[in-house]
Amino acid sequence: GAVVSQHPSRVICKSGTSVKIECRSLDFQATTMFWYRQFPKKSLMLMATSNEGSKATYEQGVEKDKFLINHASLTLSTLTVTSAHPEDSSFYICSAGDRDSYEQYFGPGTRLTVT
Amino acid sequence: RKEVEQDPGPFNVPEGATVAFNCTYSNSASQSFFWYRQDCRKEPKLLMSVYSSGNEDGRFTAQLNRASQYISLLIRDSKLSDSATYLCVVSLRPTTSGTYKYIFGTGTRLKVLA
């Protein structure tokens, strides 16, 4: 399968600051990238879908002004958690795929802790 | 009703046992089906796709019943290394022009005991 990387793998930040997470597809061009959030002992919840060069589509209940997603190229998508709060502490996972394909390739995840 | 439902477990089984997991989904427009495995604090990894005809990969067998909207995973001869959370995943396209989305079940925890 394709290789997807995420950076950083772990980040601790103070409440009120912003954090940017990068997701890169290393060996293929991903027209679509997905961002998920997973709380402890819960399943992955899709936050948003981003297609290269267009605005992200957010799932119901996800604030687009708080979770800024940029998918400027076919190999890079970023998620910025703005004005982070302790309740934003979670495991954030991205995946990359093709718009017309059902296959997704997952990154290793980023563990965010907001103090 | 959740879109994809699984028994959260945990299932504690001895080494060598056979264990079965079930999953139901609510959207009849679902198009593709998968089992993923997730280890603690790691990303999910594809275990196998699931086809209507049923498919097998070594000790793992997956079945899909579209009429009942039911998916299963059977693990034979369980190993200690099979201990993980098994996620049932359904893929669907919300609109004809939309992008395929994955809907994850809550996962079933398996612990294989020595």
Side-chain angles (χ1 to χ4, degrees), chain A residues 22-79:
Chain A
E22 291 187 350
C23 177
R24 293 181 185 272
S25 59
L26 300 183
D27 54 0
F28 78 107
Q29 294 185 324
T31 53
T32 305
M33 286 186 170
F34 305 84
W35 287 96
Y36 297 85
R37 179 168 52 182
Q38 185 176 32
F39 292 107
K41 299 190 178 180
K42 300 290 185 183
S43 193
L44 278 76
M45 297 298 296
L46 180 64
M47 298 175 68
T49 302
S50 72
N51 291 303
E52 184 263 340
S54 62
K55 288 184 180 178
T57 302
Y58 289 81
E59 294 298 302
Q60 194 171 10
V62 179
E63 299 174 58
K64 62 180 181 180
D65 295 329
K66 180 166 180 65
F67 298 99
L68 301 178
I69 291 172
N70 184 277
H71 190 170
S73 78
L74 287 170
T75 58
L76 174 65
S77 176
T78 60
L79 167 68

Side-chain angles (χ1 to χ4, degrees), chain B residues 8-77:
Chain B
F11 284 55
N12 295 323
V13 303
E15 265 189 295
T18 295
V19 61
F21 303 140
N22 302 320
C23 169
T24 57
Y25 60 95
S26 60
N27 193 327
S28 59
S30 300
Q31 288 153 317
S32 302
F33 309 88
F34 311 90
W35 282 102
Y36 274 76
R37 169 195 170 127
Q38 187 174 27
D39 293 288
C40 189
R41 304 174 81 85
K42 299 283 188 183
E43 79 276 22
K45 292 189 185 294
L46 179 65
L47 182 64
M48 57 197 306
S49 300
V50 189
Y51 305 112
S52 297
S53 54
N55 48 301
E56 187 174 308
D57 182 1
R59 297 182 293 109
F60 300 86
T61 301
Q63 295 275 356
L64 165 65
N65 184 321
R66 282 188 184 269
S68 302
Q69 297 182 192
Y70 170 93
I71 305 160
S72 67
L73 176 69
L74 184 77
I75 305 176
R76 289 182 299 277
D77 189 22

Side-chain angles (χ1 to χ4, degrees), chain A residues 32 34 36 38 43-44 46 51 59 91 99-104 106-108 111, chain B residues 32 34 36 38 41-44 87 91 93 97-102 104-106:
Chain A
T32 305
F34 305 84
Y36 297 85
Q38 185 176 32
S43 193
L44 278 76
L46 180 64
N51 291 303
E59 294 298 302
F91 191 43
R99 188 175 183 278
D100 294 315
S101 169
Y102 57 78
E103 291 188 72
Q104 294 185 26
F106 287 85
R111 194 159 299 281
Chain B
S32 302
F34 311 90
Y36 274 76
Q38 187 174 27
R41 304 174 81 85
K42 299 283 188 183
E43 79 276 22
L87 301 165
S91 171
R93 185 173 241 174
S97 60
T99 302
Y100 282 100
K101 292 169 45 167
Y102 274 13
F104 282 81
T106 49

